[in-house]
């Protein structure tokens, strides 16, 4: 049969020719022979996809480049392997398409459902470029982003919440030490000749007492205190010294 030139499809080369395929050629390019399973095999960037022909021959894929690639009239260098290649090798199977293999899975999902949600690892712009390349019209609002909370993100949120709680507790503890230091200062100065020691009931202490934090606030008043336990009175007490 003589070759007959017809108008190329979208981005297909202008020198592509078409003719009917033999059974062997159909098998080589991923088309099932007559009576076989209704699937086609695509080799997209080195990754193989076996796709139902009915998916590509109807619906929104009917007029796409993918549909034309599996038609029985399609032939040429674009999808027929070199005659000298080994037809039994894996490299000789399937219609080769030089596009991103991971995005192709989402192209097929769009053809199946008429909409798709893309994870963060899939480029939105790259996906839209692929859809244009394959000749598939994308309707507004049919491509969105999938909201993902991987384990690492969950751990990050958990850590952030814990850090926020720790910060709040730390600020509350600092406030309690500041108030406690003010009370000690008042007790220190209200007595005659300024008491050098003060007994403090246990319940008056900040819940998470820190000596260094207390002295940090006492230093504002020019004081330094040392905590001790009086076994005779069975009470905690502070000894004060003036800072120079």
């Amino acid at each position: 049969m003589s070759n007959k030139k017809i108008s190329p499809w979208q981005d297909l080369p202008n020198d592509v020719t078409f003719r009917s395929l033999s059974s062997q050629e159909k098998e080589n390019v991923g088309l099932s022979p007559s009576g076989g399973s209704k699937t086609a095999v695509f080799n997209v960037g080195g990754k193989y996809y076996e796709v139902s022909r009915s998916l590509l021959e109807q619906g929104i894929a009917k007029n796409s480049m993918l549909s034309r690639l599996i038609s029985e009239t399609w032939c040429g260098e674009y999808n027929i392997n070199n005659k000298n290649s080994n037809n039994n090798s894996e490299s000789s199977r399937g219609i080769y398409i030089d596009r991103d293999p991971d995005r192709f899975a989402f192209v097929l999902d769009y053809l199946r459902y008429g909409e798709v949600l893309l994870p963060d690892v899939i480029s939105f712009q790259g996906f839209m470029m692929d859809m244009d390349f394959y000749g598939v019209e994308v309707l507004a609002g049919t491509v969105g982003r999938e909201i993902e909370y991987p384990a690492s993100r969950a751990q990050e949120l958990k850590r952030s919440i814990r850090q926020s709680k720790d910060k709040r507790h730390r600020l509350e503890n600092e406030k309690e030490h500041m108030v406690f230091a003010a009370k000690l200062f008042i007790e220190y100065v209200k007595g005659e000749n300024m008491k050098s020691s003060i007994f403090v009931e246990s319940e008056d202490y900040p819940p998470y007492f820190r000596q260094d934090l207390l002295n940090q606030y006492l230093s504002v008043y020019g004081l330094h205190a040392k905590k001790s336990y009086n076994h005779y009175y069975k009470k905690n007490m502070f000894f004060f010294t003036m800072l120079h």
Side-chain angles (χ1 to χ4, degrees):
M1 178 183 296
S2 61
N3 293 344
K4 181 181 179 182
K5 292 278 188 176
I6 67 173
S7 299
W9 174 255
Q10 282 196 322
D11 297 314
L12 301 185
N14 291 328
D15 59 352
V16 170
T17 58
F18 298 82
R19 63 176 171 79
S20 297
L21 301 181
S22 67
S23 297
Q24 184 60 53
E25 287 173 332
K26 292 178 185 179
E27 185 175 355
N28 290 345
V29 297
L31 301 179
S32 300
S34 178
S37 62
K38 300 296 183 178
T39 61
V41 177
F42 293 97
N43 175 359
V44 184
K47 187 174 183 178
Y48 287 85
Y49 288 88
E50 186 171 5
V51 184
S52 169
R53 292 189 63 181
S54 62
L55 175 66
L56 305 178
E57 293 174 341
Q58 60 188 6
I60 57 180
K62 184 177 181 179
N63 296 318
S64 70
M65 186 187 82
L66 295 174
S67 179
R68 294 295 294 269
L69 285 175
I70 66 169
S71 66
E72 293 190 5
T73 59
W74 166 249
C75 189
E77 292 183 358
Y78 197 80
N79 69 338
I80 291 292
N81 295 283
N82 191 294
K83 294 181 179 179
N84 297 324
S85 64
N86 181 4
N87 291 334
N88 293 325
S89 66
E90 184 174 342
S91 61
S92 67
R93 292 184 57 249
I95 302 172
Y96 182 75
I97 303 176
D98 188 15
R99 305 299 284 185
D100 184 271
D102 295 327
R103 291 200 297 262
F104 189 70
F106 295 93
V107 172
L108 295 178
D109 275 347
Y110 190 88
L111 298 181
R112 293 184 184 103
Y113 310 117
E115 59 183 6
V116 70
L117 293 178
L118 303 177
D120 291 339
V121 295
I122 298 297
S123 167
F124 179 85
Q125 183 178 4
F127 175 80
M128 297 301 291
M129 291 175 62
D130 281 355
M131 295 297 279
D132 182 65
F133 175 82
Y134 294 125
V136 180
E137 181 183 3
V138 178
L139 301 179
T142 57
V143 180
R145 278 294 183 191
E146 183 177 296
I147 301 177
E148 295 184 345
Y149 293 98
S152 58
R153 177 58 177 162
Q155 291 296 327
E156 181 181 343
L157 290 173
K158 186 177 181 179
R159 181 168 57 252
S160 178
I161 293 173
R162 183 173 63 250
Q163 290 175 347
S164 178
K165 290 181 178 179
D166 291 344
K167 182 178 180 180
R168 186 179 72 247
H169 292 159
R170 184 175 69 254
L171 292 175
E172 290 176 351
N173 194 39
E174 290 180 359
K175 178 182 178 181
E176 290 171 347
H177 277 76
M178 182 174 63
V179 173
F180 186 56
K183 289 181 179 179
L184 290 180
F185 173 70
I186 292 173
E187 290 295 323
Y188 174 76
V189 299
K190 75 178 182 180
E192 293 183 3
N193 300 322
M194 295 189 180
K195 300 177 182 178
S196 61
S197 62
I198 299 175
F199 288 109
V200 180
E201 299 292 342
S202 298
E203 57 268 21
D204 293 333
Y205 274 71
Y208 304 98
F209 177 75
R210 283 175 47 192
Q211 181 72 54
D212 62 325
L213 191 57
L214 174 64
N215 280 320
Q216 177 182 328
Y217 290 108
L218 282 175
S219 64
V220 176
Y221 308 109
L223 294 175
H224 183 275
K226 183 178 180 181
K227 177 184 174 184
S228 181
Y229 184 77
N230 189 301
H231 293 278
Y232 180 78
Y233 291 101
K234 296 184 179 179
K235 289 183 179 182
N236 289 311
M237 62 186 305
F238 285 93
F239 291 95
F240 292 91
T241 57
M242 294 296 295
L243 294 174
H244 299 289

